[in-house]
Each structure stands twice: as C-alpha cells, then as structure tokens.
C-alpha cells in the first residue's frame, strides 16, 4: 500500500508541475486570453491524484477511544516498526504510559519495580540463582 | 526481538532476558557516541542521540545485575564524562554501582553512610533519598524503609513513584489500610492509569479477604475498581481476572439474601454501594467471556506477537477451568 501511495504521489506531483508550467507559459504568451480547459483539467486531476496518494500513504490512525487505545497496547504489546537507533536497537511502538509506576506486577509480584527504587541487590541474587540452577 | 531491547526493556526482566541485554555491552562499548576530537570539532562529529544515553543507562543496570562489573564501570565513566561527576543522576548511578559491588552487609552499610553524607550536603537530592529507601529495603529493614519513605513523601508529596512504592511496602507488611491510602494518592495523580486502579482493587480484595467473613464493602470496592480498570482498558487481562475472582467471592455473600439486606442497611452510612446479585452475575459472565476471548486470541497469534505473558494466559485458563 505504501508503494502504491508513492506511485500516486509521484504521478500527481508530475501532473501538478506540468499544469503549473503550462499555465505560466500560457499567461506569458497570451496575457489577455482565458486559460484553456485542458490546463484546468490537468491541474484538477493532478491535485486529486496527489491528495489520494497522501491519504493512502498516511500512517494508520490510532483509536480515539481511550479504552480501545489502551486495549490495543495490552493486546498487541510493543512491536517494532522497522526503525532502529544508531546502536541497533529497534524503536518500539508506544507502551503503557504508566509502566513507570511499576504497579503491574501485583502485590509481591516479580516485576521490575520502580526505576527510582531499583533493587539491584535483589535482582543480582535472582540472576545468580538462575545461573547456579542451570549448572 | 522485543525481549532484548535496551531502549524499551520489558516490564519484567527475567534472568535470561537480563543476560541477553547485558550481552550487548561489547557492541555498545566499542562505539562511543561522543567524539574524541577537541571542542568545536567534537560538536560536528558527535553521533549521540537522546536514545544513546537511555540505552547506556539500561545497559548499565543490566550489566550490574548479571555481574558484568567491568562493563558497568566503563559505561558509568562514559556517562560521567558526558554529564559531569556531580550530576544528580550520575551520583545515583554511582550509588547503584557501589551497592551492587558491595559484597558484605557491612560494605552495604558503608554505601548507606555515603548516601547520608550526600544528603547532608544537599538535602534536596530526591533520587538519593529513594536509593536510601531501596538500600534499607534490601537490608530487610522494612520499617526503617517505610519511615524514610514517609519523610520523603512529606517533603515531596507529588512524587507519584514514591507513593506507589509506599503502597507496595505497606502491602508487603499486610498494612492494608495504609497501602490503600497510598494507592489512592497514586490515583489522584494518575486517574487514567489502569494498572493503578487494578492495584487499588487488588489491595481492597486482599484486605477484605483477610477478615472472616470477607467484608462486603471491601469486596464491592474491589469490584468497582476492577470495573474502572476495564473501563479504561478493554484488553486488560488482569482486571477481567480480578472481576471474576471478586465476583466469585461476592456471589455466595450476596445470595444469602438475609445477610445482604442487613449489610446493605449498615453500609449506607459508609457510603459504599453494594452491587446487586444480578449485576454481579452479569459481570461474572462478561469477565468469563472476555477471558475466553483473550485465551483464544493468544493461541491464534505467533509467539512474541501478543501483549500478554504466557503466565497470565495459563492463570486465566486455570481460573476458567475451576
């Protein structure tokens, strides 16, 4: 779909440029005659094709209802959209904006907790136990 | 793969994920984002982005948890040379490094005293205050941690992260009243957070179940907050799970009509509306239907494509087959 949008955009831009060039040439050559119909039509067709292309190649709309939007985040999780940082980490789609509260692990759950209160000792112990269990 | 992303680490990093994260250290360390050229040229040839430093910080934390102290030290010195030794955040990261490398409880106490010293010089350093709470917690001195946290909250009552921490600390002590109070403070700052609503609901349900017979008003409040979480997020498995659990506890209480009518008379002054039997039954049905949908949806997606944990789905299946 993105490719189709780009093709339409290119064709539309070409038509539009050509129509504008023709209109300019026409007004310099015959200053006092009205614009011929074919130039007007080409301009209109160019604008319509370009608008269609822009609409088609636009990003998918996000849900405007909070519950639907949040439900989508929960159901689909975070997934990459094909963009990477310089370090090679993929930039993911948006996640739970309140994840920083660390309340999703439940009471006494094994979540990451809150960043400001990061329990480095506990996490290290958990990792050590895992390594020892594997050996 | 989403599980080993340094830019957006998952909300629950299991040891294998931590290992995968910290194994990225050599790659990041071999490509410094800042340029080594002198000043005006370094501005032109710098390749840093805001994401680079988030990645460095996350990598630092996962290197520490997997015991890769060398990489952690290198990352820390790189961060310190970029942001300055006295930057509040760098001071905190250095503190975390010292905590992680402290072998004995005595050396951890030393780190703790270091924090006290920093706070004497600058009592407004909130992140060091938070580290103090974290150290007290990992030393097992939970009541001291609670005291330190209440002092922090008195000085900075809009710190929602600290309120959330206080709520969990109280909950770990089974002090349900205080835990619910702190969780409700969180709700004041983040009223649209579905996880905060589910947290309050869980606390209400736990506190209601701690008495025998379970208190009707507590369970009603739990049901109310779980329903609010569902209202905010229609794909929130935990909330539907909670609705079903609470409903299964409420149904026997409510079906005993004599008790419920008497209770309803009592509850009027406490201002907790008790739901009717029919509406609880309906909510139970909806929750069952939705949980079934989530389980089917999870089964139809490829691995790693779903937002739900496998453990969540297994728990939901187990609840439905009861």
């Amino acid at each position: 779909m993105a490719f189709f949008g780009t093709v339409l955009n290119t064709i539309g831009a070409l038509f539009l440029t050509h129509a504008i060039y023709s209109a300019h040439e026409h007004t310099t050559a015959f200053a006092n005659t009205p614009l011929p119909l074919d130039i007007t039509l080409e301009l209109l067709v160019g604008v319509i094709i370009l608008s269609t292309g822009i609409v088609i190649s636009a990003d998918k709309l996000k849900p405007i209802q909070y519950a639907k939007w949040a439900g989508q985040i929960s159901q689909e999780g975070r997934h990459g959209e094909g963009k990477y940082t310089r370090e090679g980490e993929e930039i993911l789609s948006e996640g739970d904006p309140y994840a920083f509260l660390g309340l999703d692990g439940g009471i006494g759950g094994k979540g990451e907790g809150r960043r400001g209160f990061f329990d480095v000792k506990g996490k290290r112990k958990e990792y050590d136990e895992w390594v020892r269990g594997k050996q | 793969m989403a599980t080993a992303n340094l830019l957006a680490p998952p909300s629950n990093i299991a040891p294998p994920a931590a290992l995968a994260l910290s194994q990225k250290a050599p790659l990041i360390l071999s490509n410094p984002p800042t340029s080594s050229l002198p000043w005006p040229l370094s501005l032109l040839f710098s390749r840093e982005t805001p994401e680079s430093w988030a990645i460095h910080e996350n990598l630092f934390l996962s290197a520490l948890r997997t015991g890769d102290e060398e990489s952690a030290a290198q990352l820390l010195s790189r961060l310190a040379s970029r942001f300055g030794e006295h930057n509040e955040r760098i001071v905190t990261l250095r503190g975390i490094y010292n905590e992680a490398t402290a072998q004995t409880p005595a050396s951890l106490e030393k780190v703790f005293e270091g924090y006290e010293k920093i706070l004497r010089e600058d009592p407004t350093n909130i992140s060091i205050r938070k580290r103090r709470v974290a150290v007290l917690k990992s030393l097992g001195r939970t009541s001291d941690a609670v005291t330190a946290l209440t002092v922090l909250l008195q000085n900075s009552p809009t710190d929602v992260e600290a309120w959330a921490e206080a709520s969990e600390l109280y909950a770990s002590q089974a002090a349900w009243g205080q835990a619910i109070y702190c969780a409700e403070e969180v709700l004041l700052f983040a009223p649209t957070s579905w996880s905060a609503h589910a947290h309050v609901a869980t606390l209400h349900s736990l506190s209601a179940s701690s008495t025998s017979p379970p208190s009707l008003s507590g369970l009603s409040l739990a049901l109310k907050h779980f329903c609010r979480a569902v209202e905010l997020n229609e794909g929130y498995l935990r909330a539907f799970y909670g609705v079903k659990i609470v409903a299964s506890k409420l149904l026997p209480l409510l079906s005993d009509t004599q008790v419920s009518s008497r209770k309803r008379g009592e509850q009027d002054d406490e201002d907790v509306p008790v739901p009717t039997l029919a509406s609880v039954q309906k909510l139970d049905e909806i929750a069952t239907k939705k949980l079934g949908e989530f389980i089917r949806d999870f089964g139809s997606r490829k691995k790693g494509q779903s937002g739900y944990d496998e453990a969540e789905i297994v728990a939901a299946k187990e609840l439905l087959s009861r």
Side-chain angles (χ1 to χ4, degrees):
Chain A
M1 212 58 183
F3 175 72
F4 186 54
T6 320
V7 169
L8 278 185
N9 280 339
T10 319
I11 296 172
L14 277 176
F15 271 127
L16 196 62
T17 322
H18 187 252
I20 291 164
Y21 175 73
S22 312
H24 178 73
E25 284 294 295
H26 181 82
T27 44
T28 36
F30 318 98
N32 296 319
T33 47
L35 210 59
L37 187 65
D38 58 343
I39 298 181
T40 319
L41 283 181
E42 191 184 13
L43 188 79
L44 287 176
V45 167
V47 167
I48 288 169
I49 292 179
L50 195 58
S51 322
T52 320
I54 289 170
V55 169
I56 284 177
S57 57
D59 284 341
K60 220 177 127 196
L61 297 178
K62 283 182 190 172
I64 55 171
Q65 279 170 335
Y66 194 87
K68 288 230 171 79
W69 166 78
Q72 205 174 44
I73 290 175
S74 286
Q75 232 150 10
E76 291 170 12
R78 305 186 71 173
H79 45 81
E81 285 161 342
K83 280 187 199 153
Y84 291 84
T85 66
R86 205 182 59 80
E87 287 82 1
E89 295 299 321
E90 191 163 23
I91 296 173
L92 298 184
S93 61
E94 67 181 335
D96 178 2
Y98 294 103
F100 74 96
L101 289 175
L103 292 177
D104 232 357
I107 315 292
K110 275 201 163 183
E112 277 309 285
R114 285 145 286 274
R115 185 42 87 75
F117 298 94
F118 182 65
D119 180 15
V120 64
K121 276 279 179 214
K123 295 291 168 195
R124 215 176 146 109
K125 218 166 118 193
E126 185 192 352
Y127 181 79
D128 281 345
E129 275 162 15
W130 177 71
V131 170
R132 238 176 280 140
K134 254 186 29 166
Q135 280 165 358
Chain B
M1 187 162 152
T3 46
N5 192 310
L6 278 173
L7 196 56
S11 59
N12 179 18
I13 306 178
L19 181 64
L21 284 178
S22 69
Q23 273 168 348
K24 295 189 176 187
L27 182 76
I28 307 278
L29 281 172
S30 62
N31 294 306
T34 45
S35 160
S36 56
L37 293 165
W39 171 59
L41 289 174
S42 65
L43 290 180
L44 291 173
F45 292 99
S46 158
R47 286 169 299 173
E48 64 173 271
T49 54
E51 288 89 25
S52 341
W53 300 115
I55 288 171
H56 273 74
E57 203 180 342
N58 287 330
L59 181 61
F60 171 75
L61 295 179
S62 32
L64 276 184
R65 85 160 40 173
T66 52
D68 186 2
E69 283 156 19
E70 263 172 58
S71 307
Q74 279 184 52
L75 286 163
L76 184 60
S77 69
R78 193 181 274 181
L79 282 161
S81 64
R82 172 66 180 80
F83 295 103
E85 202 61 58
H86 298 289
N87 182 299
E88 203 173 286
R89 207 147 161 176
I90 303 297
V91 171
T92 314
L93 289 181
R94 190 165 295 280
I96 294 178
Y97 178 80
N98 290 338
E99 277 173 43
T101 46
Q103 298 293 339
T104 57
S107 49
L108 197 57
E109 289 280 355
K110 221 178 203 171
V111 178
F112 186 72
E113 277 158 27
Y115 288 156
E116 301 272 294
K117 210 179 125 214
I118 296 171
L119 285 178
R120 267 199 296 279
E121 281 162 20
D122 177 15
T124 60
N125 195 333
I126 296 291
S127 35
I128 287 293
R129 282 188 185 274
K130 289 187 177 174
R131 285 318 310 159
R132 259 186 83 215
V133 175
V135 173
L136 285 171
K137 210 173 117 190
S138 74
L139 282 171
R141 288 155 59 183
T142 315
S143 57
D144 286 341
V146 168
T147 319
L149 199 53
T150 42
V151 173
L152 169 76
L153 282 170
Q154 265 162 13
N155 293 328
S156 146
T158 53
D159 192 333
V160 55
E161 193 187 29
W163 279 114
E165 180 75 17
S167 171
E168 283 219 6
L169 269 181
Y170 278 124
S172 69
Q173 302 291 298
W176 304 118
Q178 284 94 328
I180 290 170
Y181 178 86
C182 295
E184 279 171 352
E185 289 291 327
V186 175
L187 277 189
L188 284 182
F189 299 112
T192 53
S193 160
W194 49 91
S195 52
H197 277 285
H199 179 72
V200 175
T202 314
L203 289 174
H204 273 301
S205 140
L206 284 172
S207 101
S209 316
S210 63
T211 57
S212 136
S215 103
L216 198 58
S217 61
L219 285 178
S220 315
L221 277 172
L223 190 68
K224 193 181 114 186
H225 280 290
F226 273 130
C227 287
R228 178 72 74 202
V230 167
E231 195 185 352
L232 287 168
N233 182 345
E234 59 178 25
Y236 197 29
L237 196 148
R238 178 179 169 196
F240 283 109
Y241 189 91
V243 167
K244 193 156 167 53
I245 293 250
V246 174
S248 69
K249 282 180 190 162
L250 262 176
L251 283 174
L253 284 179
L254 286 173
S255 55
D256 195 353
T257 43
Q258 211 185 348
V259 177
S260 69
S261 62
R262 187 162 48 84
K263 284 262 174 175
R264 213 166 285 161
E266 278 173 23
Q267 294 309 323
D268 278 346
D269 19 292
E270 278 182 44
D271 203 25
V272 181
V274 174
T276 59
L277 184 64
S279 61
V280 176
Q281 271 167 344
K282 228 179 241 171
L283 283 174
D284 185 51
E285 273 167 35
I286 294 172
T288 313
K289 204 175 116 228
K290 274 296 218 180
L291 284 175
E293 269 174 35
F294 292 153
I295 292 169
R296 273 195 298 282
D297 176 74
F298 184 80
S300 68
R301 281 173 196 262
K302 270 185 264 164
K303 206 171 180 323
Q305 287 276 309
S306 174
Y308 302 122
D309 272 347
E310 199 156 359
E312 276 183 318
I313 295 291
V314 169
K317 266 185 197 161
E318 200 244 334
L319 179 71
L320 287 187
S321 61
R322 250 185 230 170

